[in-house]
Amino acid sequence: MASAASLPAPNVPPGTLVRRTWRVPRTDGAGLIVPGWDALPSLVEQNRAHRRFAAKIDVQGVSLGDLRRQTQLAAKTLSRDYLAKTLRLPVPDWSDDAPLIVGGHQPELFHAGVWAKNFAVARLARQVGGVPLQLIVDQDTLNSHAIKVPVGTRATPALATIDFDAPHARSPWETATVQDPAIFESFARRVTEAIAPWGVQPLVADQWPIAVEQARRTGSLVDALTALRATTERRWGAGTFELPLSHWWSHPALLWFMAHLLAQHRRLLDLYNDVLKEYRVANRVRSRAHPVPDLVRQDDWYESPFWVWHNGDARRERLFVRQAAGQIELRDSLRTIGALPLDEHRSATDAVIELHRLSNEGWRFRSRALTTTWAARMLLADVFIHGLGGAKYDEMTDALIGRFWGVTPPDFATVSATVHLPLGEPWPEDHRSVGLKKHAWQDALHNPERHWDGGWPDAVLSLAAEKRRWLATADTVSSMLSKRQIRAENHRRDQRLRQIRQQLLQLAEPVVQRLHRDYDEAVAHQTANRILQRREFSWVLFPEDQLRAVFERLFP
């Protein structure tokens, strides 16, 4: 049921970059759960014990334990408000002393394997008497306004792109509103019509009105897609608290954490880039832009691991800082933003007041990838449940936390799944069978006599026997002959072998053509299987009963 993965070595020093590897589940309905479903309750207790150890870390004048309590309280208040006031969904109980199980993802129509995390969060929280929370990563850039849908037939499937809205600017999700209500409201109908020839009844057909109603109420694309997902999860008994990161990062508790990192900007930049360098070496990544770019220094300005933009900006910008006369100056790529009364040793109280004032003036300060999970794992979750991508990124986050604060961070869990749309049985072709058929066809072009069907005609037998005799002469050319005579003999042999090959090909043309057709058909079937067994189809395309059964089996 679960695929294997490598776990970090025990008792490694804080700040050590530990390379982990995972295998994507290949079988339909298979899941990846690390360290294993039965081990997750123990991981919760292990991490809660770790909290007590790390609680005394100083964070700009307050302890990590106190800051954690403030950020959890902020998450509780903000997520309750978002559920009740924005999504108008029932608000479950939140016990302050209960374990907090957290996951998160961008508010897109992601594939079913990503959605598996949400059910793992809800089921684990229920199992340990905890609180389930989903972080909506809405500060990331909205890159697509469409999903891929299978069209065609089992023999020749293809992918069609179906828009759920008109094109958007490449701006953060949190600023996205529904651009074209007609496109948005007709999305489910167009999807259902496109997938109908496969005999699939997608759950979006019945559930999309939830998104439409929410979009009419607030206009927010994030709210609409979140309402659709969250409502469906509640119908399946897996409801969680929902918290957009844009709401959380506006809270003073998170601004305090941000001020702490900005106050340490020189040291942080060096540690950040050192970790990236080690990650690239360990994972054989050559690009300086992957998995994330280095932080850069421009004269006395240091790039920080945060985004910033102002209301109305078309895109987010990098946040640069520098120390000057007892304060931290802020700018983006082009503009001066302001200054914080802050240094490495000063309380962040006044800096948080100033950040809050700048936020009220329309400046939006948001975390980048590593900073997001740093805050989520150290300030919020008792167990954070990652997907495959986030788990790989957090090799770097683990090392960065360890080097910055001198502690080994609490471990995370990794959950994913592979679920195939019911598009029919895949073709019995794989890489090996395609290779064998390719080899048979190519060999027939040079040795057609090896692939003759049934009894061999006399002409083929005669030519094959002559071919063997000529090939045998390659080892019997007399060493007493001159080089010129040997070259002449070899030329005569090669010329005759080419003639024999052409004659055999003419006689065996039907056989060679059949082998070529077999190979082409195998390639076509292999190509078809990439769509028939595609794991990246959006969860909204699946029949409800299929997905619900898979998740209930993976997370009992």
Side-chain angles (χ1 to χ4, degrees):
M1 179 174 69
S3 299
S6 64
L7 294 174
N11 302 319
V12 296
T16 302
L17 192 143
V18 179
R19 185 172 183 268
R20 311 191 197 195
T21 56
W22 289 266
R23 295 186 181 93
V24 175
R26 297 294 183 187
T27 307
D28 185 20
L32 180 143
I33 306 171
V34 178
W37 185 252
D38 293 339
L40 290 183
S42 297
L43 181 61
V44 174
E45 292 306 313
Q46 171 189 314
N47 284 353
R48 284 167 73 81
H50 176 278
R51 301 294 179 202
R52 294 188 287 272
F53 171 74
K56 295 182 179 180
I57 293 173
D58 180 75
V59 184
Q60 222 65 28
V62 303
S63 71
L64 179 62
D66 286 341
L67 188 60
R68 176 177 166 81
R69 282 186 284 275
Q70 294 176 39
T71 56
Q72 285 187 324
L73 178 60
K76 175 181 180 180
T77 302
L78 294 169
S79 62
R80 289 173 66 91
D81 284 349
Y82 185 66
L83 278 177
K85 298 177 182 178
T86 302
L87 302 186
R88 299 183 182 178
L89 289 173
V91 179
D93 291 331
W94 181 310
S95 174
D96 290 340
D97 60 348
L100 190 54
I101 313 302
V102 182
H105 204 80
Q106 293 84 357
E108 59 194 10
L109 297 176
F110 40 66
H111 68 78
V114 169
W115 202 22
K117 295 186 303 179
N118 298 35
F119 292 88
V121 166
R123 299 287 165 80
L124 178 60
R126 185 169 62 191
Q127 186 171 338
V128 300
V131 175
L133 174 65
Q134 290 294 337
L135 299 178
I136 304 166
V137 187
D138 61 347
Q139 78 267 45
D140 282 359
T141 300
L142 193 165
N143 291 317
S144 176
H145 57 279
I147 65 170
K148 299 292 186 181
V149 177
V151 294
T153 66
R154 177 172 172 265
T156 57
L159 295 176
T161 299
I162 297 186
D163 298 335
F164 55 78
D165 198 6
H168 284 250
R170 283 181 53 82
S171 56
W173 272 96
E174 67 178 89
T175 64
T177 57
V178 173
Q179 300 294 294
D180 190 323
I183 293 176
F184 193 78
E185 293 177 12
S186 66
F187 173 66
R189 174 183 57 76
R190 289 180 285 115
V191 167
T192 304
E193 290 174 353
I195 205 172
W198 297 96
V200 174
Q201 178 65 14
L203 64 85
V204 72
D206 297 324
Q207 301 303 310
W208 191 247
I210 297 168
V212 172
E213 179 184 354
Q214 183 67 49
R216 289 172 178 169
R217 194 159 58 238
T218 67
S220 165
L221 190 58
V222 172
D223 295 347
L225 299 184
T226 300
L228 170 69
R229 173 185 57 76
T231 302
T232 304
E233 290 168 1
R234 278 160 174 70
R235 288 180 48 246
W236 297 5
T240 63
F241 284 87
E242 303 286 339
L243 176 58
L245 282 179
S246 59
H247 296 200
W248 197 45
W249 275 97
S250 301
H251 193 275
L254 272 296
L255 295 179
W256 191 289
F257 173 66
M258 176 182 172
H260 177 56
L261 298 191
L262 296 183
Q264 307 282 331
H265 60 272
R266 294 185 181 93
R267 185 168 70 96
L268 178 59
L269 182 143
D270 290 338
L271 294 177
Y272 190 101
N273 290 346
D274 286 346
V275 166
L276 271 176
K277 181 179 179 180
E278 290 182 29
Y279 176 92
R280 292 182 185 126
V281 171
N283 291 277
R284 300 178 181 179
V285 176
R286 294 185 178 182
S287 170
R288 295 281 299 217
H290 292 92
V292 293
D294 288 359
L295 299 179
V296 300
R297 180 179 176 183
Q298 299 175 351
D299 298 324
D300 55 350
W301 288 95
Y302 288 72
E303 184 182 356
S304 70
F306 292 93
W307 299 113
V308 64
W309 69 93
H310 196 272
N311 289 342
D313 288 352
R315 56 184 298 170
R316 59 191 184 178
E317 295 279 350
R318 298 176 294 168
L319 177 65
F320 288 85
V321 299
R322 71 176 176 184
Q323 189 76 51
Q327 60 183 8
I328 301 288
E329 296 180 352
L330 311 177
R331 72 166 175 86
D332 62 14
S333 299
L334 302 171
R335 299 165 292 186
T336 298
I337 297 171
L340 308 179
L342 183 68
D343 60 32
E344 291 184 15
H345 308 292
R346 186 173 178 177
S347 167
T349 301
D350 294 336
V352 168
I353 293 172
E354 181 63 14
L355 284 170
H356 188 66
R357 185 188 69 79
L358 290 169
S359 297
N360 288 337
E361 290 184 354
W363 289 102
R364 303 189 185 210
F365 302 99
R366 301 292 183 259
S367 58
R368 287 157 76 166
L370 302 190
T371 328
T372 298
T373 53
W374 183 343
R377 290 174 57 199
M378 294 300 292
L379 301 178
L380 187 61
D382 286 300
V383 165
F384 193 91
I385 296 183
H386 268 305
L388 291 171
K392 192 63 181 172
Y393 263 55
D394 263 15
E395 291 179 18
M396 295 175 287
T397 311
D398 280 353
L400 185 57
I401 293 171
R403 296 177 197 189
F404 189 84
W405 275 339
V407 297
T408 300
D411 205 1
F412 55 85
T414 306
V415 169
S416 189
T418 291
V419 191
H420 297 157
L421 277 171
L423 305 178
E425 287 296 318
W427 296 96
E429 303 290 354
D430 55 22
H431 181 74
R432 182 176 179 275
S433 65
V434 172
L436 290 174
K437 291 180 178 180
K438 180 179 181 180
H439 175 76
W441 166 57
Q442 292 182 333
D443 185 63
L445 294 174
H446 298 279
N447 303 288
E449 71 279 7
R450 294 180 184 174
H451 302 273
W452 200 267
D453 289 334
W456 288 4
D458 290 342
V460 172
L461 292 170
S462 176
L463 288 168
E466 184 182 355
K467 178 180 177 180
R468 289 193 296 272
R469 289 195 300 271
W470 279 108
L471 290 173
T473 64
D475 299 322
T476 59
V477 174
S478 172
S479 60
M480 300 299 292
L481 297 176
S482 68
K483 290 183 178 180
R484 182 176 180 180
Q485 290 172 319
I486 292 174
R487 285 197 297 270
E489 183 66 18
N490 287 341
H491 176 73
R492 190 165 70 93
R493 182 184 65 247
D494 292 345
Q495 188 176 41
R496 180 53 186 155
L497 284 172
R498 282 194 293 270
Q499 293 172 347
I500 292 172
R501 176 172 172 267
Q502 290 301 319
Q503 290 175 294
L504 286 171
L505 278 174
Q506 291 176 1
L507 292 168
E509 183 178 4
V511 176
V512 175
Q513 288 181 347
R514 177 182 58 77
L515 292 173
H516 193 187
R517 287 195 301 271
D518 288 348
Y519 169 60
D520 285 346
E521 185 179 72
V523 170
H525 287 169
Q526 186 182 42
T527 302
N529 282 346
R530 294 193 185 103
I531 294 177
L532 298 176
Q533 298 178 296
R534 189 175 189 266
R535 73 185 295 266
E536 290 81 16
F537 284 121
S538 170
W539 64 271
V540 302
L541 296 179
F542 286 80
E544 180 172 335
D545 291 346
Q546 179 191 6
L547 281 187
R548 188 167 183 173
V550 170
F551 294 151
E552 288 177 351
R553 177 174 53 80
L554 290 177
F555 314 115

PDB file of all heavy atoms in Angstrom, residues 88-99:
ATOM      1  N   ARG A  88     -18.501  30.352   5.320  1.00  0.00           N
ATOM      2  CA  ARG A  88     -19.794  30.007   5.925  1.00  0.00           C
ATOM      3  C   ARG A  88     -19.938  28.504   6.134  1.00  0.00           C
ATOM      4  O   ARG A  88     -20.963  27.897   5.801  1.00  0.00           O
ATOM      5  CB  ARG A  88     -20.945  30.561   5.074  1.00  0.00           C
ATOM      6  CG  ARG A  88     -20.922  32.082   4.951  1.00  0.00           C
ATOM      7  CD  ARG A  88     -22.114  32.611   4.173  1.00  0.00           C
ATOM      8  NE  ARG A  88     -22.050  34.065   4.026  1.00  0.00           N
ATOM      9  CZ  ARG A  88     -22.941  34.798   3.362  1.00  0.00           C
ATOM     10  NH1 ARG A  88     -23.988  34.202   2.800  1.00  0.00           N
ATOM     11  NH2 ARG A  88     -22.802  36.106   3.263  1.00  0.00           N
ATOM     12  N   LEU A  89     -18.900  27.934   6.688  1.00  0.00           N
ATOM     13  CA  LEU A  89     -18.883  26.513   6.995  1.00  0.00           C
ATOM     14  C   LEU A  89     -18.868  26.316   8.504  1.00  0.00           C
ATOM     15  O   LEU A  89     -18.421  27.196   9.248  1.00  0.00           O
ATOM     16  CB  LEU A  89     -17.643  25.851   6.380  1.00  0.00           C
ATOM     17  CG  LEU A  89     -17.638  25.713   4.858  1.00  0.00           C
ATOM     18  CD1 LEU A  89     -16.284  25.210   4.376  1.00  0.00           C
ATOM     19  CD2 LEU A  89     -18.748  24.788   4.385  1.00  0.00           C
ATOM     20  N   PRO A  90     -19.338  25.166   8.985  1.00  0.00           N
ATOM     21  CA  PRO A  90     -19.315  24.904  10.433  1.00  0.00           C
ATOM     22  C   PRO A  90     -17.889  24.941  10.980  1.00  0.00           C
ATOM     23  O   PRO A  90     -16.946  24.510  10.317  1.00  0.00           O
ATOM     24  CB  PRO A  90     -19.911  23.498  10.538  1.00  0.00           C
ATOM     25  CG  PRO A  90     -20.671  23.296   9.279  1.00  0.00           C
ATOM     26  CD  PRO A  90     -19.954  24.075   8.222  1.00  0.00           C
ATOM     27  N   VAL A  91     -17.749  25.456  12.175  1.00  0.00           N
ATOM     28  CA  VAL A  91     -16.436  25.571  12.817  1.00  0.00           C
ATOM     29  C   VAL A  91     -16.311  24.496  13.881  1.00  0.00           C
ATOM     30  O   VAL A  91     -17.063  24.498  14.859  1.00  0.00           O
ATOM     31  CB  VAL A  91     -16.254  26.964  13.447  1.00  0.00           C
ATOM     32  CG1 VAL A  91     -14.886  27.058  14.125  1.00  0.00           C
ATOM     33  CG2 VAL A  91     -16.409  28.051  12.389  1.00  0.00           C
ATOM     34  N   PRO A  92     -15.369  23.559  13.737  1.00  0.00           N
ATOM     35  CA  PRO A  92     -15.195  22.524  14.761  1.00  0.00           C
ATOM     36  C   PRO A  92     -14.521  23.102  16.006  1.00  0.00           C
ATOM     37  O   PRO A  92     -14.115  24.258  16.044  1.00  0.00           O
ATOM     38  CB  PRO A  92     -14.287  21.500  14.058  1.00  0.00           C
ATOM     39  CG  PRO A  92     -13.561  22.275  13.012  1.00  0.00           C
ATOM     40  CD  PRO A  92     -14.480  23.384  12.585  1.00  0.00           C
ATOM     41  N   ASP A  93     -14.379  22.267  17.014  1.00  0.00           N
ATOM     42  CA  ASP A  93     -13.726  22.688  18.256  1.00  0.00           C
ATOM     43  C   ASP A  93     -12.213  22.743  18.050  1.00  0.00           C
ATOM     44  O   ASP A  93     -11.639  21.975  17.277  1.00  0.00           O
ATOM     45  CB  ASP A  93     -14.048  21.713  19.390  1.00  0.00           C
ATOM     46  CG  ASP A  93     -15.516  21.793  19.793  1.00  0.00           C
ATOM     47  OD1 ASP A  93     -16.119  22.878  19.636  1.00  0.00           O
ATOM     48  OD2 ASP A  93     -16.062  20.776  20.253  1.00  0.00           O
ATOM     49  N   TRP A  94     -11.592  23.665  18.776  1.00  0.00           N
ATOM     50  CA  TRP A  94     -10.127  23.778  18.775  1.00  0.00           C
ATOM     51  C   TRP A  94      -9.684  23.803  20.224  1.00  0.00           C
ATOM     52  O   TRP A  94      -9.832  24.803  20.926  1.00  0.00           O
ATOM     53  CB  TRP A  94      -9.686  25.043  18.055  1.00  0.00           C
ATOM     54  CG  TRP A  94      -8.188  25.250  17.983  1.00  0.00           C
ATOM     55  CD1 TRP A  94      -7.299  25.188  19.009  1.00  0.00           C
ATOM     56  CD2 TRP A  94      -7.429  25.578  16.817  1.00  0.00           C
ATOM     57  NE1 TRP A  94      -6.028  25.444  18.571  1.00  0.00           N
ATOM     58  CE2 TRP A  94      -6.079  25.695  17.228  1.00  0.00           C
ATOM     59  CE3 TRP A  94      -7.750  25.804  15.477  1.00  0.00           C
ATOM     60  CZ2 TRP A  94      -5.045  26.024  16.336  1.00  0.00           C
ATOM     61  CZ3 TRP A  94      -6.732  26.124  14.594  1.00  0.00           C
ATOM     62  CH2 TRP A  94      -5.401  26.229  15.012  1.00  0.00           C
ATOM     63  N   SER A  95      -9.122  22.720  20.689  1.00  0.00           N
ATOM     64  CA  SER A  95      -8.609  22.654  22.048  1.00  0.00           C
ATOM     65  C   SER A  95      -7.158  23.126  22.049  1.00  0.00           C
ATOM     66  O   SER A  95      -6.321  22.609  21.306  1.00  0.00           O
ATOM     67  CB  SER A  95      -8.688  21.217  22.573  1.00  0.00           C
ATOM     68  OG  SER A  95      -8.068  21.113  23.834  1.00  0.00           O
ATOM     69  N   ASP A  96      -6.849  24.121  22.877  1.00  0.00           N
ATOM     70  CA  ASP A  96      -5.529  24.745  22.841  1.00  0.00           C
ATOM     71  C   ASP A  96      -4.404  23.793  23.213  1.00  0.00           C
ATOM     72  O   ASP A  96      -3.257  23.995  22.804  1.00  0.00           O
ATOM     73  CB  ASP A  96      -5.494  25.951  23.782  1.00  0.00           C
ATOM     74  CG  ASP A  96      -6.338  27.100  23.255  1.00  0.00           C
ATOM     75  OD1 ASP A  96      -6.619  27.113  22.041  1.00  0.00           O
ATOM     76  OD2 ASP A  96      -6.728  27.973  24.053  1.00  0.00           O
ATOM     77  N   ASP A  97      -4.699  22.759  24.000  1.00  0.00           N
ATOM     78  CA  ASP A  97      -3.630  21.836  24.409  1.00  0.00           C
ATOM     79  C   ASP A  97      -3.582  20.584  23.535  1.00  0.00           C
ATOM     80  O   ASP A  97      -2.789  19.682  23.784  1.00  0.00           O
ATOM     81  CB  ASP A  97      -3.805  21.429  25.875  1.00  0.00           C
ATOM     82  CG  ASP A  97      -5.134  20.717  26.129  1.00  0.00           C
ATOM     83  OD1 ASP A  97      -6.008  20.736  25.227  1.00  0.00           O
ATOM     84  OD2 ASP A  97      -5.302  20.152  27.227  1.00  0.00           O
ATOM     85  N   ALA A  98      -4.410  20.520  22.485  1.00  0.00           N
ATOM     86  CA  ALA A  98      -4.432  19.343  21.612  1.00  0.00           C
ATOM     87  C   ALA A  98      -3.314  19.444  20.579  1.00  0.00           C
ATOM     88  O   ALA A  98      -2.900  20.531  20.190  1.00  0.00           O
ATOM     89  CB  ALA A  98      -5.778  19.235  20.907  1.00  0.00           C
ATOM     90  N   PRO A  99      -2.787  18.303  20.114  1.00  0.00           N
ATOM     91  CA  PRO A  99      -1.773  18.331  19.053  1.00  0.00           C
ATOM     92  C   PRO A  99      -2.334  18.999  17.802  1.00  0.00           C
ATOM     93  O   PRO A  99      -3.503  18.835  17.452  1.00  0.00           O
ATOM     94  CB  PRO A  99      -1.477  16.847  18.797  1.00  0.00           C
ATOM     95  CG  PRO A  99      -1.953  16.138  20.009  1.00  0.00           C
ATOM     96  CD  PRO A  99      -3.095  16.925  20.547  1.00  0.00           C
TER      97      PRO A  99
END
